[in-house]
Amino acid sequence: VQNAIRNINNIISKALINMNPTDQEAIDLALVDLDGSDRLTKMGSNALLAVSTACCRAGAAEKAVPLYKHIADLSCFDGVNLPVPFFNMISGGKRAPKSLSNLNFQEIMAIPVHAKSFREAMIAGIKLYASLGEVLMEKYPSFKLTDINEQGAYCPPIDNSEDAVQALCDAFEKAELGSVFKIAIDVAATSMVHPPEEGDDEEDVGIRYNLMWNNPDADPHILDAEGLNEHYNNLFESFPEAIVSLEDPFAANDFDGFSKFTLRYGESMQVMGDELICSNSDMILKCVESQACNSMSIKLDQVATVSDAIRAAKAAKEEGWGVCFSHRSGETEDTFIADLVAGTCAGQFKCGAPLRGERLAKFNRL
Ligand code: PGA
Ligand code: ZN
């Protein structure tokens, strides 16, 4: 961070003097040129992103319009709209403290798809979060409301996705919000990859997954991509019509697993590429060709400039994909992403649980 600040103060600031803050493309081009390296490591993409978003704010101020309006002008989509929030309710995988949870999947989210407004969506999300806390305390006596992760999601002592989805469905019922919510899951399946064992011919065995990867006390439950596909099918059948979006159901390098899954479910649900694409426009094209997914998440720290973020959203929309802007686990109270999601009409927004200042700052801005 100190390095990024030094680069901004000593080098980047000088390169932008006399530029027009409303010309975001020119500014972002100058930033990327100034860095000059392939992976933007010279200045650091965090330094470039900070300056790019600051200039975007300056551009809005110069035009005397709200930031979301300026972003809407830059992205040339139809006006502005507020997204459906993906509330992260239960976390597992690498994002839950080991001492609390062995859940294999990373995020079990509630999405208020039938809320009539963003305001109604927030009210429902907050009510649901409280109900889920009560459900989890009833089901798991050791669970406390403070057992949460960085995103504010609960981390109950659950080691399988069925129990997590069941708890969320119970909370829908308890809060009388079953008609408002559907479920989205981020499997983050790269975490589940089972490394080749001694003597394995890697070509022969292919990519394999261990459903119990996060539970050292349990026997491994190893599946190939086809077996994992079937595992998802069982989950969908256990909770008919509840799960409408699945993110990273296969590992980031398992194109074949992704493609077969999307062929099977792509008509009936959203298959989101996150680690698969890493917000990269070239990867969008590759995934379109292989029909690996039908939507993507965009993370600001992966794109480095505002123009890149808008380009990625445009490229995805042109393919008829769903677009979801996503916060990161580590966040500040900065709310730029809230204006970005509204100004690009992305429609979907991952921002954690309705808890903790750095998440609420963004929800409040919306
Ligand atoms: P994170 O991203 O790495 O910031 O926790 C969450 C995700 O995988 O979507
Ligand atoms: Zn993800």
Side-chain angles (χ1 to χ4, degrees), residues 106-107 186 188 247-248 274-275 297 299 350:
Q106 189 168 281
E107 296 171 2
D186 181 2
E247 180 179 338
D248 286 340
D274 172 25
E275 288 174 61
S297 80
K299 291 169 172 166
K350 278 180 69 171

Side-chain angles (χ1 to χ4, degrees), residues 153-326:
Y154 294 126
C155 302
I158 290 178
D159 74 356
N160 68 86
S161 50
E162 291 83 354
D163 288 351
V165 174
Q166 186 60 59
L168 188 51
C169 289
D170 292 351
F172 289 166
E173 211 165 287
K174 190 177 179 88
E176 297 179 2
L177 287 168
S179 61
V180 175
F181 284 100
K182 293 284 183 189
I183 294 174
I185 296 177
D186 181 2
V187 179
T190 305
S191 314
M192 297 204 301
V193 170
H194 186 63
E197 285 164 14
E198 224 181 287
D200 276 349
D201 179 337
E202 273 186 58
E203 292 249 314
D204 263 6
V205 294
I207 298 171
R208 290 181 305 179
Y209 299 87
N210 177 8
L211 286 183
M212 282 294 152
W213 71 276
N214 201 22
N215 187 348
D217 297 331
D219 289 335
H221 184 165
I222 314 284
L223 298 170
D224 58 11
E226 205 177 312
L228 185 57
N229 200 315
E230 216 41 52
H231 174 72
Y232 293 132
N233 187 52
N234 294 339
L235 185 65
F236 303 151
E237 280 181 359
S238 304
F239 302 95
E241 290 177 28
I243 301 165
V244 297
S245 177
L246 210 64
E247 180 179 338
D248 286 340
F250 293 85
N253 60 345
D254 192 353
F255 272 92
D256 194 49
F258 261 99
S259 296
K260 287 189 174 132
F261 182 83
T262 301
L263 188 67
R264 189 169 178 185
Y265 296 106
E267 291 290 317
S268 57
M269 73 163 57
Q270 175 165 270
V271 185
M272 193 185 290
D274 172 25
E275 288 174 61
L276 174 71
I277 299 176
C278 280
S279 314
N280 178 318
S281 297
D282 295 339
M283 284 302 290
I284 299 176
L285 295 180
K286 191 170 171 195
C287 290
V288 167
E289 271 165 28
S290 54
Q291 299 190 11
C293 56
N294 59 22
S295 70
M296 74 181 289
S297 80
I298 303 176
K299 291 169 172 166
L300 269 179
D301 60 315
Q302 292 176 339
V303 289
T305 70
V306 175
S307 301
D308 284 342
I310 293 173
R311 252 193 305 278
K314 268 189 170 158
K317 281 190 175 203
E318 270 160 22
E319 297 302 334
W321 282 13
V323 177
C324 182
F325 274 99
S326 173

Side-chain angles (χ1 to χ4, degrees), residues 16-169:
L16 299 183
I17 288 172
N18 285 333
M19 288 193 77
N20 176 353
T22 63
D23 191 349
Q24 190 70 37
E25 280 273 356
I27 285 169
D28 289 341
L29 210 62
L31 290 174
V32 172
D33 277 355
L34 178 69
D35 184 282
S37 68
D38 270 359
R39 299 179 58 86
L40 306 177
T41 44
K42 219 164 125 199
M43 293 298 132
S45 58
N46 51 352
L48 301 182
L49 179 66
V51 176
S52 180
T53 55
C55 288
C56 195
R57 284 193 163 103
E62 168 74 16
K63 282 161 63 180
V65 298
L67 180 57
Y68 60 82
K69 175 74 177 61
H70 177 43
I71 293 172
D73 295 344
L74 293 173
S75 53
C76 308
F77 291 129
D78 267 350
V80 167
N81 82 23
L82 295 182
V84 177
F86 281 44
F87 295 117
N88 189 4
M89 290 285 165
I90 296 178
S91 256
K94 290 191 174 151
R95 294 293 178 261
K98 281 270 174 299
S99 55
L100 296 178
S101 167
N102 297 120
L103 181 59
N104 48 5
F105 292 1
Q106 189 168 281
E107 296 171 2
I108 313 292
M109 292 165 278
I111 45 177
V113 288
H114 294 301
K116 290 187 186 62
S117 62
F118 187 78
R119 183 191 173 83
E120 205 180 288
M122 280 313 299
I123 292 170
I126 289 162
K127 202 170 158 202
L128 179 70
Y129 185 78
S131 293
L132 178 61
E134 288 170 19
V135 165
L136 293 172
M137 284 199 293
E138 280 160 24
K139 286 191 168 206
Y140 306 98
S142 68
F143 174 78
K144 302 185 295 303
L145 291 178
T146 47
D147 292 346
I148 58 170
N149 75 344
E150 267 187 281
Q151 299 192 9
Y154 294 126
C155 302
I158 290 178
D159 74 356
N160 68 86
S161 50
E162 291 83 354
D163 288 351
V165 174
Q166 186 60 59
L168 188 51
C169 289

